[in-house]
Structures are given as structure tokens and as C-alpha cells.
Amino acid sequence: METRVKEKLDNDARRKVGKQYGFKQSSWCNWLIKDGYFFYIVHGTFTKDADLYVKPCYFDDILWNLVPEENATQNPQSHRAIGSFTAPDFLVSKNTVPLEEDADFTEKNCISVWKEIFSKVHSQIEEFLSKNPDVEEFTFINNDSIGRLNDETLVYMLQLIYHKQYQEVEDYAKKLLEYGVKGCYCWADKNDNYKYINEYIIDFCRAQNMKN
């Protein structure tokens, strides 16, 4: 069976079943916004993984507005997962897609596989929400409903910014810069000077402090 045929069967089944559970599909992800959280499943072409991730929607809302060149209103919701500039997220669960052999790729079988996966994911989301019902009170520290992530410092600052603790964030970001930690994102500002995310965070917090 040709690769493109298998890919179409898999993608069509994922889209069809995901829609039944309220998910939208864009490229390699299926996503759902619920109770202020952005949930999404990552599934690359012919990979066995269908891992579920989550983050508060306000993570990206803040991040996109920290940098002048980015604006949340210009980005479709799917960019919270597939955009080149996205906030860190948390692993909720790892799931497996048992589609490997040519014989596995029938419409009926692909739909059956994805029904099982989305049913599991639905239960995992409900369990997560039962443990984290209020997105404003969500914390990643000592939270047994999520896995660890690769940028805890940025998440920490995004949470403080959301709660308007600008001076604390500014002081924290300054200390990071003193230790040479500039952050993982870098853009040119309006004067074509390259600045890192932690520098943008300092500028943003200073501006907010001046307003208050």
C-alpha cells in the first residue's frame, strides 16, 4: 500500500473520530479548548505516539503579546500547538497508535483504533479537570496530574505575569540574565536589535509597573 494512501486513511479517521469528541484537527495535532485549558494530541505521520498535552490558554495569550511582532489575535487557535512560537506545555499522558502493517490501514480499522484513543483521551482530560478545575489556580509545582516540561522558568514567569506580579517577574528575569539565561526565543525589535524573551519580559514588566 502506498504511503500517501495509508496517511490519508489515518488522517481521515483521526479527524472524523476527533470531531465526535469535540477536537479540531490541524496538521499533526488535534486540539480542544475546555475550561480555559488548551489540550492537544501530538501524532506525527506513522508514529506510534498520540501523546496528550495541556497548558492554560493564557500562557500563549501573554507570550504572544510580550513581543511586538507577535499578536494573539493574528494567530489561529491551532497555533498554540503547531505555531513556531508557542508557550511551554505539560505532558498529560502517552498513548499508542497500533497501526504499522499495510493490513492495519483499512478505514474500519483506523476508525476503531482512533475511537479507542480518543475515548482514553476524553477520560484523561476529565480526570485532569477534576484535579485542576480552576485554570487561574493551576500550578505545575507538585502537580501529579502532569509530567514535567523543559522550560519551568518561563512557565513560572507567565503564571506570575498573569497574576500581575510584575515586579517579582522583573527581578527574577534580571537574575536569569545575570546568570546568562536569556530564554529560548529571540527576535529583532523595531530597531533591528536582537533581544531574547527574558529581555522582552523585563521590558514588559517595567512598562506595567510604570502604569501602576
Side-chain angles (χ1 to χ4, degrees):
M1 181 181 293
E2 292 184 12
T3 297
R4 63 180 180 82
V5 175
K6 292 190 290 185
E7 183 177 359
K8 186 177 188 307
L9 285 167
D10 184 35
N11 285 340
D12 287 351
R14 181 163 55 96
R15 181 180 294 104
K16 182 177 181 178
V17 177
K19 186 177 181 179
Q20 295 172 0
Y21 284 88
F23 281 82
K24 296 183 179 180
Q25 183 164 311
S26 183
S27 186
W28 40 260
C29 89
N30 296 76
W31 58 273
L32 167 72
I33 293 177
K34 189 170 184 179
D35 295 349
Y37 292 99
F38 183 82
F39 297 93
Y40 73 103
I41 300 169
V42 175
H43 176 63
T45 303
F46 303 136
T47 63
K48 294 183 180 180
D49 300 325
D51 299 338
L52 174 65
Y53 292 85
V54 67
K55 56 185 167 181
C57 288
Y58 73 74
F59 277 15
D60 287 304
D61 294 341
I62 293 172
L63 198 60
W64 286 338
N65 284 288
L66 284 173
V67 183
E69 288 76 9
E70 297 290 336
N71 189 302
T73 60
Q74 296 175 352
N75 291 309
Q77 298 285 16
S78 62
H79 275 206
R80 297 177 190 273
I82 66 173
S84 59
F85 173 41
T86 61
D89 46 32
F90 306 88
L91 177 67
V92 177
S93 66
K94 297 185 74 67
N95 300 282
T96 300
V97 182
L99 294 171
E100 300 181 61
E101 306 297 330
D102 283 2
D104 295 335
F105 289 90
T106 65
E107 181 180 5
K108 182 179 179 180
N109 191 43
C110 287
I111 287 176
S112 176
V113 165
W114 281 107
K115 278 186 176 179
E116 182 177 351
I117 291 170
F118 277 103
S119 177
K120 286 181 180 178
V121 165
H122 174 75
S123 297
Q124 291 159 354
I125 289 174
E126 292 304 311
E127 182 180 359
F128 172 88
L129 290 173
S130 71
K131 294 180 178 180
N132 305 274
D134 188 347
V135 70
E136 294 195 0
E137 298 299 322
F138 171 81
T139 179
F140 69 97
I141 300 173
N142 299 324
N143 191 326
D144 65 1
S145 59
I146 55 175
R148 295 181 67 82
L149 73 166
N150 59 9
D151 199 341
E152 292 184 3
T153 57
L154 181 54
V155 165
Y156 175 69
M157 289 188 286
L158 290 174
Q159 289 188 318
L160 290 181
I161 289 172
Y162 183 72
H163 292 288
K164 300 182 179 181
Q165 296 175 256
Y166 303 121
Q167 189 59 56
E168 186 173 344
V169 177
E170 182 180 344
D171 294 342
Y172 185 76
K174 285 179 179 177
K175 287 184 179 179
L176 290 175
L177 289 180
E178 289 175 5
Y179 287 105
V181 180
K182 298 180 179 180
C184 58
Y185 296 118
C186 179
W187 303 266
D189 62 17
K190 60 183 179 181
N191 297 317
D192 290 331
N193 297 314
Y194 279 90
K195 295 169 64 175
Y196 285 84
I197 186 61
N198 289 347
E199 295 172 300
Y200 278 109
I201 287 175
I202 290 172
D203 291 345
F204 175 81
C205 289
R206 280 177 180 164
Q208 296 302 314
N209 283 327
M210 290 177 65
K211 292 178 183 178
N212 299 329

